[in-house]
């Protein structure tokens, strides 16, 4: 009961009395009625210019809560945040566009946050699961700088299949398979598609498949000023999820900050270059 009360208070604070009460009622009803769990509703947040689409009875609510209520992606350290703003403004002043790649975009809420935080950026939102991707497309419709891509991210092009151990929309896992029906894309392919852009942020939350993303060519990580990632050693014990990240990133100096389930990794080279200009 205390968990639901906390969520109600958060809803009222962020959504307002009327909208917060209504959408929280949907959350409770749809979580209790299994036949309504996949019902899609629109929600208006005070901090966003347009509405967002989600399934209140599923994990979409928790994703919204973490990003927009608990502010898990919000800046942690003023100095790092200010330097990212300077870097974004420098890219724009050079007539280029900051490029953000959201790997594991789910229904697009993280892509929306990134698009608002780094105004003027192009956000490539990659999501492999079809139902999540349909909601991602709906949500991207109100934010023209978000480009939805139905694919999985990897270090090379190949086929994959999807599985889900607990049924939650945020828990889809990717596995390489010769009989898979889904194609992968690479960071290099995305960068090559947007040659007039400069890579600014890469967010990685891909439920354990990061061991494949960081398996071979990881030279692109040296050019990413900010890499946001979530480790999944708890989900796949002895898979080396965390090792995949850190063994790739420690080739050059970076700062690491932790907030919620996310690690924020800032590249010294990009930041030091900015400070000398």
């Amino acid at each position: 009961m205390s968990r639901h009360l906390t969520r109600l208070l958060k809803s009222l604070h962020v959504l307002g009395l009327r909208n917060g009460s209504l959408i929280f009622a949907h959350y409770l009803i749809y979580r209790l009625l299994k036949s309504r769990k996949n019902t899609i509703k629109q929600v208006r947040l005070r901090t966003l210019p347009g509405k967002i689409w989600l399934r209140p009875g599923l994990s979409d609510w928790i994703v919204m809560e973490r990003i927009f209520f608990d502010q898990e992606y919000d800046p942690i350290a003023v100095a790092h945040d200010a330097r990212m703003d300077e870097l974004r403004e420098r890219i724009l002043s050079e007539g280029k566009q900051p490029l953000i790649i959201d790997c594991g975009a789910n229904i697009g809420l993280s892509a929306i946050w990134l698009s608002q935080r780094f105004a003027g950026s192009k956000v490539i939102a990659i999501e492999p699961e079809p139902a999540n991707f349909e909601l991602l497309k709906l949500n991207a419709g109100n934010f023209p700088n978000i480009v939805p891509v139905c694919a999985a991210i990897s270090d090379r092009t190949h086929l994959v299949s999807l599985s889900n151990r607990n049924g939650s929309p945020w828990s889809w896992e990717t596995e390489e398979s010769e009989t898979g029906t889904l194609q992968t894309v690479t960071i290099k392919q995305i960068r090559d598609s947007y040659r007039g852009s400069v890579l600014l942020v890469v967010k990685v939350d891909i439920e354990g498949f990061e061991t494949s993303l960081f398996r071979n060519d990881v030279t692109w990580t040296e050019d990413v000023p900010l890499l946001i990632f979530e480790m999944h050693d708890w989900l796949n014990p002895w898979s080396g999820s965390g090792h995949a990240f850190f063994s790739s990133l420690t080739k050059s100096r970076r700062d690491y900050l932790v907030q919620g389930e996310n690690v924020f990794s800032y590249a010294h080279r990009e930041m030091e270059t900015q400070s000398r200009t």
Side-chain angles (χ1 to χ4, degrees), residues 20-204:
S21 300
L22 181 61
I23 195 62
F24 183 76
H26 290 149
Y27 162 76
L28 283 181
I29 292 170
Y30 298 150
R31 287 189 74 85
L32 293 174
L33 300 176
K34 292 183 178 181
S35 62
R36 304 295 300 277
K37 281 185 178 294
N38 289 308
T39 300
I40 298 172
K41 285 289 182 182
Q42 280 189 306
V43 179
R44 178 175 290 281
L45 301 181
R46 294 171 176 172
T47 55
L48 297 178
K51 293 182 179 179
I52 59 175
W53 300 80
L54 54 80
R55 296 156 293 195
L58 297 175
S59 58
D60 298 353
W61 176 279
I62 303 173
V63 174
M64 176 186 70
E65 187 177 73
R66 289 180 177 177
I67 295 174
F68 296 108
F69 293 11
D70 298 333
Q71 302 176 323
E72 287 193 358
Y73 284 113
D74 281 26
I76 306 171
V78 173
H80 293 80
D81 195 46
R83 193 61 60 81
M84 288 299 296
D85 281 335
E86 293 170 5
L87 184 54
R88 179 188 64 87
E89 290 170 5
R90 187 187 75 185
I91 294 169
L92 291 170
S93 70
E94 294 172 350
K96 299 177 181 179
Q97 187 173 37
L99 180 64
I100 297 173
I101 305 176
D102 186 349
C103 307
N106 194 253
I107 65 170
L109 302 189
S110 55
I112 290 172
W113 186 91
L114 289 164
S115 75
Q116 299 300 289
R117 167 63 187 86
F118 299 102
S121 300
K122 177 74 70 177
V123 181
I124 312 303
I126 304 169
E127 171 56 40
E129 201 281 316
N132 288 341
F133 184 73
E134 288 304 311
L135 276 178
L136 168 58
K137 288 195 296 183
L138 283 176
N139 283 322
N142 290 325
F143 301 88
N145 58 333
I146 297 177
V147 179
V149 176
C150 189
I153 192 77
S154 186
D155 66 330
R156 60 187 177 88
T157 302
H158 56 87
L159 294 175
V160 297
S161 59
L162 298 174
S163 62
N164 193 320
R165 284 184 260 184
N166 64 25
S168 295
W170 63 5
S171 299
W172 286 95
E173 298 176 52
T174 310
E175 183 178 1
E176 293 184 18
S177 172
E178 294 181 357
T179 59
T181 58
L182 189 68
Q183 190 74 39
T184 62
V185 294
T186 68
I187 298 291
K188 183 179 184 301
Q189 287 174 329
I190 296 170
R191 293 182 69 177
D192 289 346
S193 298
Y194 296 91
R195 291 190 178 276
S197 301
V198 178
L199 193 58
L200 182 68
V201 181
V202 175
K203 187 221 96 182
V204 181

